[in-house]
Each structure stands twice: as C-alpha cells, then as structure tokens.
Amino acid sequence: MAKNNLPVMHNVGIVVESLDGAITFFTELGLKLEGRGNVEGEWAGCVTGLGDQRVEIAMMVTPDGHSRLELSRFLTPPTVEDHRTSPVNALGYLRIMFTVDNLDETLTRLYKQGATLVGEVVQYENIYRLCYIRGHEGLLIGLAEELGDK
C-alpha cells in the first residue's frame, strides 16, 4: 500500500511464450505461484491500449512476500516484438535481478532448467558475487550473492 502518496512497487511484468515453462523456471529459482488466470476483454485493453485482448497470466511471489513477477502469455493480440536476445546495453527492459543465498547451488539448479551463463561469475569487492544468465526463453536474469556476515 502506498504511504504518503509515495509509490510502492507491486510487480514486474514479463511476456513469455510458455507460461508453464516460465512458472517451472521461476519456481526453481525460489519464487512461489501466487495465482494464475485469464485477463480478457475490452476493459483490460483499455489499460494496455491493445483493445480487445486475451492474456493468460501467472503471478509469482518472492519468498519474503514483498516482490512479485507477473508472467503473461498473450493469446490475442499476438506479440509483435522480441527483445529476449538484446544485449545488456539495449534500451528498455534490461534484466531482473535476484539476491540468492548460494550462487553456485542456484546456478546448478537453473542450468538443469536450461539456463546459460552470459559472461562469468564475478566478485565485486567483498560485497557480492554476481552474474547474468539467460533463463527460460532467453530472459536476462541477474543473480547476486551477498558476501560477508550472513
């Protein structure tokens, strides 16, 4: 809930081709499926500017319950552009970043889901170990493990 008229982020939305595959991938990362359903009709298109639309959505929530990821699969109208293979310096959507407890263990689990490392796992001072991966459908995802006193 917004306080003092200041915004509070509710979710980040990502459009995917396979909703089931995306749910499986983000569940493996540690998110939980909060709900799934269809959004359709002219009222929904009034929000997005797409007119009459049919979209299947799934809302994923982080373990702490504070952040959400909305996964959408458009049935109508069809998707028109694909930014999934854009490099990290492209304008627009860059990546979504998650903090994880154990980067190596998380990578091992996500590799089994088809994830690939973009560059290398690097360490920034004694603060973070981090990397970018291409996850489900090539989505760019950042992973960071906080170092030091855990």
Side-chain angles (χ1 to χ4, degrees), residues 5-134:
N5 206 31
L6 297 175
V8 175
M9 184 182 294
H10 184 269
N11 70 64
V12 172
I14 298 177
V15 177
V16 297
E17 290 179 302
S18 169
L19 199 58
D20 291 332
I23 291 168
T24 299
F25 182 85
F26 286 106
T27 298
E28 187 63 42
L29 182 57
L31 281 70
K32 291 187 176 16
L33 179 63
E34 186 176 55
R36 183 174 180 166
N38 292 319
V39 177
E40 57 188 299
E42 289 185 38
W43 72 268
C46 287
V47 174
T48 62
L50 294 175
D52 194 21
Q53 68 181 37
R54 289 183 46 232
V55 183
E56 185 180 13
I57 66 164
M59 190 67 75
M60 307 290 294
V61 63
T62 55
D64 65 5
H66 294 296
S67 300
R68 287 172 177 74
L69 180 63
E70 181 181 303
L71 304 169
S72 302
R73 183 174 76 91
F74 276 81
L75 305 170
T76 57
T79 56
V80 295
E81 291 189 40
D82 191 342
H83 301 282
R84 293 174 293 185
T85 58
S86 297
V88 299
N89 61 340
L91 295 174
Y93 162 78
L94 173 58
R95 53 102 179 111
I96 187 167
M97 175 75 77
F98 293 97
T99 301
V100 297
D101 290 331
N102 183 319
L103 182 58
D104 295 324
E105 186 271 330
T106 301
L107 285 171
T108 298
R109 287 193 342 261
L110 296 180
Y111 288 153
K112 292 176 184 173
Q113 296 292 322
T116 58
L117 194 61
V118 172
E120 301 176 24
V121 175
V122 299
Q123 184 166 324
Y124 174 70
E125 298 180 354
N126 289 325
I127 302 171
Y128 288 105
R129 287 183 69 228
L130 45 99
C131 66
Y132 284 173
I133 61 169
R134 289 280 178 185

